[in-house]
Amino acid sequence: MKPTERPARRHGPTPSLRDGGYIAGMKRVRLVITGIIQGVGFRPFVWRRATRLGLSGFVENTPAGVVVEIEGPAEAVAAFADGLAGAAPPLANVDGIASHDIAPVDAGAEEPFQIFHSAAAEGPRTLVPADIATCEACLIEMRDPSNRRHGHPFITCTDCGPRYTIIERLPYDRPATTMGLFSMCPVCAAEYADPADRRFHAQPIACPACGPVVWLFTAATATGTPAAADRPAQPPKAAEAIAAARQLLHRGGILAVKNLGGFHLACDATSAAAVARLRDRKHRPTKPFAVMAADLAVARLLAGIDEQAARLLASPARPIVLVPKRPGPGLADAVAPGNDFIGIMLPAAPLQHLLAEGLPPLVMTSGNLAGEPIATGNTEAVERLGRFADGFLLHDRGIHVPCDDSVVRCVVGAPLPIRRSRGHAPVPIRLAGDGPTILAVGGELKAALCLMTGDRAIMGQHIGDVGNLATLEARERAADHLLKLFSVEPAAIAADLHPGYVSAEWAARFATARGIPLVRIQHHEAHAASLLAEHFGVPMPPAGTSPCLVACFDGTGYWPDGSIAGGEFFLADEAGIRRVAHLAPFPLPGGDAAIRHPWRTAVALLHAAGIPWDERLPAVRTASDTELRLLRQQLDRGLACTPTTSMGRLFDGVAALLGGPASITFEAEAALWLESQAATHPAGDATRLDFAVTTQATSPAVVDWRPLIAAVVAAVLAGKSPAGIAAGFHDAVVRLIAAIRSRLVARPGGPVGLTGGVFQNARLVELAATQLRAAGCEPLLHHAVPPNDGGLALGQAVLARQRLTRG
């Protein structure tokens, strides 16, 4: 059957009559179902369930959710409703069913159960599904030479394929997506209209006869302008274009590939020359590249993949998973130089499957310059990526929403998000209550938006670092799209407290233009609130329970006194979130210069602790006499020396003292080196290091790092191994968390939260979680949003709503 237009309402407020009385034993119920239920095969599921029970009625998509009316014998109606949510398709997520009885329709007046076309209307909107990796059924068809979709790079069904990245508006129907430009052939149209077919209302449905096409664009095929990247008048067969792209990779070339959420740059990950060429062209000297393996078996040859990592790799989201590298030949050393971990992903789309099959593992890195948004359009990609790529594997299915790959790592048996994007955005976080609609803009790094509406916080995709016009414009487009998609207007906009943040300036302009308040939220309080909201739905533990201590460790966050914070402890209860302890401040000479050059931070720590600058220390030895002389003058006079309490900077300084990177080319490079060093040291044999804690009656406790730095220096000069000292440093941080908990929280046990970018460190999280559990505490870790600034907007939004509600 084909979906039909919804007729005018055929039932009134009173029951119909048959032979002068009510319809005996008949019942009609109206259900309004909310959640992630559009674009996941929910309507055909309802049709099959109703048809099997012999019920009449209809199902339709509306902006507010899926509406179902069912009529039949009372027992059959009850059987339909019983267990409906639990029996839904695997990709559906039902979070609410509102049900009420309505008047039955006259006997014989209604056809068998029908699927109506989607209804457009104003008002609250239902949720939007994330993009979904190619399902096994589609892969079987794609690999079957007798199937009409054999080798089709855009094969999809109701169980898989693009969703969020192609949706322009709701309700989710083909004309409201970038697939609206492609008219279905008669065979596809028949599948689309058949509720019994796996492709019923699969909006991206297509085949080689009627769908998008793929072609290879190279210097040899170019006519000299980016517009030559437009669809050829006579495009080649997909197999020919993909075969040519594979040959380019086989020859050591660099290929730009248009994938689900944007472009990737790909090359042979086993070829040292190809990887070196990509690094040189992209000006990315050391930051690790992600690698795509054709399947799980190939991935296991490259990395140590346990059961949890295997599940994540093969999940519908298909994220990049950080896993331990296997030693020995395989990947080129330059893929992840000096790093014991590698980011592995499996193909998420048919085009990636067809490209990767039979090839060596491929570097698959975002198609952008560092910090810029990922390229999505063909002409845009040729303009922006032309200096990097030897060829472009293009297609003409539009990408409406840029969406970079998600990144996760496995920690204490659960996923820890590092970047939340494709496959996860815009899946919401469920909140404990309703309130004003808030738009939060996050921070400057790893920018991601949060739209809080009703009892849901909708997290947008990763945008990038807001350090250039392109990323700022991408943020503006993302905000506009979220607001239009969910048909809401914010009551306020939330931003970071830092006076120099570009994101906050943009938020101020947005607030002025719409006549709404701008709510400024302190950076680390937002981190703490993000973690609490993820676990409790509000920025506090449940009433009547223990207060929650939250350790918030990161690199940079503006404190109201103008200092740079980042080694903070908060106590959260019904009264709010308050700072109860922090690292003792130390100078950060030159601000950003010290961040880029950890040796400067290390020497500043020595200066503040009164420790001589011994040339046997790697951080001292790496600098010239002139650099050291100028730095000493700067520190002595306090010139451009921003005080900081940052744990992230302390990690950097300790790494530099041990011989880690004196200068870095990407964020957290020194901290990653320190984690890798610690991981190589045998358990239980680390150098003993300790902080000192001074508690104060009327102000936050102060954590003195000077005894620890003195012990680090003594260990280095005594010739102890950097790995043992690095392991001891991690142990010291864990003991510090436990010590602050025991000193400042009266009740035994209770929750202890770990948030901020430092807690991307798997070793630190695992050690802390183990020790906290041993002490009877419940460690709260991030599982839905990243601990880094990618999760910041969630905390900003819940605190802004709280302020508006409390007045």
Side-chain angles (χ1 to χ4, degrees), residues 399-441:
I399 299 171
H400 189 69
V401 180
C403 221
D404 216 331
D405 299 314
S406 292
V407 182
V408 300
R409 70 186 307 179
C410 302
V411 181
V412 291
L416 177 71
I418 305 298
R419 184 169 72 199
R420 189 181 193 270
S421 203
R422 179 189 52 75
H424 292 286
V427 177
I429 311 299
R430 193 70 183 265
L431 304 173
D434 205 336
T437 296
I438 307 292
L439 177 66
V441 302

Side-chain angles (χ1 to χ4, degrees), residues 136-158:
E136 190 60 31
C138 282
L139 288 177
I140 290 171
E141 291 179 347
M142 186 185 74
R143 291 165 178 157
D144 179 2
S146 67
N147 191 281
R148 75 187 193 93
R149 290 189 174 90
H150 174 242
H152 182 48
F154 306 100
I155 191 168
T156 184
C157 70
T158 53

Side-chain angles (χ1 to χ4, degrees), residues 279 286-291 302-306 309 320-327 331-344 407-411 418 666 671-680 730 760-764 766:
R279 286 204 175 279
T286 55
K287 187 176 181 180
F289 285 134
V291 172
L302 307 176
I305 297 174
D306 60 16
I320 297 169
V321 182
L322 300 181
V323 286
K325 279 195 297 191
R326 285 198 183 280
L331 300 176
D333 291 340
V335 168
N339 199 312
D340 292 332
F341 288 85
I342 185 74
I344 299 281
V407 182
V408 300
R409 70 186 307 179
C410 302
V411 181
I418 305 298
F666 64 92
L672 284 170
W673 179 90
L674 197 65
E675 179 186 356
S676 292
Q677 286 292 308
T680 65
H730 283 74
Q760 296 171 108
N761 181 318
R763 180 182 179 89
L764 184 67
E766 287 166 354

Side-chain angles (χ1 to χ4, degrees), residues 437-481:
T437 296
I438 307 292
L439 177 66
V441 302
E444 298 292 89
L445 302 179
K446 302 176 177 64
L449 301 174
C450 177
L451 177 63
M452 183 168 289
T453 177
D455 62 352
R456 300 184 184 97
I458 298 158
M459 294 296 299
Q461 72 277 14
H462 169 82
I463 297 171
D465 298 345
V466 188
N468 56 68
L469 181 61
T471 312
L472 190 62
E473 290 174 345
R475 186 201 293 267
E476 189 167 355
R477 288 193 299 271
D480 183 65
H481 182 60

